[in-house]
Amino acid sequence: MGKTITLSEFIIKRQSEFANATGELSRLLNDIAVAAKVISRDVRRAGLIDNILGAQGSTNVQGEEQQKLDVIADEQFIKMLRNGGEVCGIASEENDDFVAFEDEVSRNGKYVVLFDPLDGSSNIDVNVSIGTIFSIFRRKSPVGSLVTIEDMLQKGTEQVVAGYVLYGSSTMLVYTTGNGVNGFTLDPSIGEFCLSHPDMKMPEKSRLYAMNEGNIAVCHPGIKAYAEYCQSFENDYGTPYSGRYIGSLVADFHRNLIKGGIYIYPVTTTSPKGKLRLLYECNPLALIAEQAGGLATDGKNRILDIQPTELHQRVGYFTGSKNQVEKVMELIREAEIKTV
Ligand code: P6P
C-alpha cells in the first residue's frame, strides 16, 4: 500500500489543472467534502437519531415527499457553501428556485453549485445506498452582482467540476475537473477522504444493465428491444446479461463506472419528459461518464450539449459503457424507422 494521499493533498497537487488557479475552487471542493462527511455521519446513524428517518411531511418542487435527511443534507450543503465565500448562489432539488447568497463576500464568489443533496432518499429507511450529486460552474454574471438564473442554466460542457458522494458500504467521493476521474474513500478513523481509485475508467462493455423493467410497457419500442437483446442468447456475449437495479442512481452509476454497465431511465408515456433532472443529476454524472470513457445521452442527443431552459427540467437518461449506450441508441433508431 503506497503513501496515503488525502483529498486535500490531491486537490492542492492537481490545482494547476484549474485555469488561473488561485485556490478558490480548491477551497470550494474541500467545503463540499466537509459537507459530505457531515452527511455521511448522519446517514450512518439515521436509525439511531430521534426523528431523522422517514418523511419530513413536506413535498419538494418535484411534488416528491421529502425525507427528513433530504432536508438536513440540503441545509448542510447550503450552510457550508454560503459560509465558504467562493459561491454566489446554488440550486438544488429541494428548493423551488435558485438561492442567491446576498452577503458581500458571497456576491464576489465566482462559482455556482447545483446539487441533489440526497438522491435515492426513499432508500434511507431500508438502509440502501444513497448519494449526493454536485455540479460546479463559473458564474456568467459579473462578480459582485447577485447571481442570476442564467448562471444556473449552463450546458453540461461548461461544468468546471462534477462529482458525487456515495453513502454505501463505505463513503466515497468521486469527481472530475475535466482531466480524468478520481475516487476517494472516507477513512472514518482519520476523518479524511483518501485516494482509493485513481484515474477511473469505465469498461467499454459489460453484461450488466440497470433499468426499472416495471416501466417496460410504457417505454419506447427501442428500449423494449434493448431489454430483449440483453435477455437473449443473440447478444454480444451469446448469453443473457444480468439485471442490476438498485433504485438509487448514484449506486447504480458507481457500479457501472467500476464494472461496466448501462443505466437507463427513459421518457415513458406516463412520464413524457423523463424522471431524472438534467442540471443536478444527469449533467454531473454525464461528465464523469465521458471522462471515464463512457457515454451519456437522452437516447438521441449528448446530455452535455443540451441547453437547459428550466431549473428542474427532466430528461430521458442513458449512461454507462460506450458499447451499451451505442447499442440502445441503435435499437431506438431502428424502432423509429420501422414506425415511419
Ligand atoms: P424508480 C431516486 O428517486 C431516483 O431519482 C434515482 O436515484 C433512481 O435511479 C430512480 O429515481 C428510481 O426510480 O421509478 O425506478 O423508483
Side-chain angles (χ1 to χ4, degrees):
M1 181 75 176
K3 176 185 177 309
T4 299
I5 299 176
T6 66
L7 175 62
S8 305
E9 289 166 336
F10 185 87
I11 290 171
I12 290 165
K13 198 156 68 79
R14 301 280 291 262
Q15 186 165 288
S16 57
E17 293 171 14
F18 302 152
N20 314 314
T22 54
E24 287 135 334
L25 201 50
S26 302
R27 281 193 296 276
L28 170 47
L29 248 178
N30 273 304
D31 290 343
I32 288 174
V34 172
K37 292 178 196 174
V38 173
I39 295 165
S40 178
R41 177 202 64 193
D42 292 347
V43 165
R44 302 225 170 279
R45 299 186 304 165
L48 300 172
I49 305 172
D50 290 346
N51 203 23
I52 197 171
L53 284 181
Q56 168 77 4
S58 54
T59 56
N60 61 19
V61 65
Q62 333 288 343
E64 292 169 343
E65 188 174 56
Q66 288 180 301
Q67 302 296 312
K68 293 183 183 70
L69 260 178
D70 271 331
V71 176
I72 291 171
D74 190 55
E75 290 168 354
Q76 179 61 40
F77 263 102
I78 291 174
K79 183 177 75 175
M80 185 61 72
L81 295 173
R82 188 193 296 275
N83 295 342
E86 312 303 346
V87 173
C88 54
I90 64 98
S92 94
E93 180 183 85
E94 304 307 325
N95 296 275
D96 299 2
D97 202 350
F98 66 88
V99 177
F101 296 162
E102 301 186 3
D103 63 281
E104 189 178 348
V105 170
S106 298
R107 289 170 69 144
N108 287 306
K110 296 178 183 165
Y111 300 99
V112 297
V113 182
L114 293 86
F115 58 93
D116 183 352
L118 216 49
D119 178 76
S121 52
S122 56
N123 291 305
I124 295 169
D125 291 1
V126 295
N127 207 9
V128 165
S129 300
I130 51 183
T132 294
I133 311 170
F134 62 89
S135 177
I136 305 176
F137 293 90
R138 278 186 199 80
R139 69 184 300 172
K140 297 174 76 171
S141 55
V143 171
S145 65
L146 269 185
V147 72
T148 67
I149 185 64
E150 286 72 31
D151 290 318
M152 307 295 169
L153 299 181
Q154 299 186 52
K155 284 185 183 181
T157 46
E158 299 303 304
Q159 293 175 97
V160 290
V161 182
Y164 63 83
V165 183
L166 175 60
Y167 310 99
S169 49
S170 65
T171 295
M172 276 196 72
L173 187 150
V174 176
Y175 82 93
T176 181
T177 60
N179 294 284
V181 179
N182 292 282
F184 300 79
T185 300
L186 181 61
D187 180 341
S189 68
I190 57 173
E192 291 284 0
F193 280 106
C194 301
L195 183 63
S196 53
H197 296 69
D199 194 22
M200 300 179 82
K201 293 295 180 201
M202 189 183 274
E204 282 207 352
K205 59 189 286 191
S206 84
R207 287 184 49 235
L208 298 175
Y209 73 107
M211 65 179 289
N212 180 343
E213 296 196 55
N215 293 327
I216 209 75
V218 292
C219 281
H220 185 285
I223 293 151
K224 293 175 191 170
Y226 183 70
E228 287 162 8
Y229 171 84
C230 293
Q231 295 157 9
S232 79
F233 285 86
E234 284 71 50
N235 61 39
D236 53 342
Y237 282 88
T239 185
Y241 289 13
S242 293
R244 289 285 184 277
Y245 189 66
I246 301 171
S248 190
L249 169 60
V250 174
D252 279 315
F253 181 89
H254 185 73
R255 183 201 53 249
N256 293 345
L257 177 57
I258 297 205
K259 292 182 178 286
I262 185 171
Y263 173 93
I264 295 174
Y265 210 106
V267 302
T268 64
T269 51
T270 47
S271 303
K273 292 188 175 177
K275 174 174 188 181
L276 300 182
R277 274 66 66 162
L278 172 62
L279 288 182
Y280 40 79
E281 292 175 333
C282 299
N283 266 340
L285 298 184
L287 184 59
I288 291 173
E290 289 197 4
Q291 282 289 312
L295 291 176
T297 79
D298 63 2
K300 293 179 182 166
N301 310 295
R302 182 189 184 213
I303 286 289
L304 295 178
D305 287 338
I306 297 173
Q307 175 56 58
T309 53
E310 294 167 31
L311 212 45
H312 301 289
Q313 83 184 65
R314 300 171 189 265
V315 288
Y317 200 45
F318 301 74
T319 187
S321 294
K322 182 173 176 295
N323 290 13
Q324 291 180 259
V325 176
E326 287 172 345
K327 183 64 182 177
V328 68
M329 291 173 73
E330 174 195 319
L331 293 174
I332 290 170
R333 284 193 302 273
E334 285 177 9
E336 290 189 337
I337 291 166
K338 284 180 192 154
T339 53
V340 168

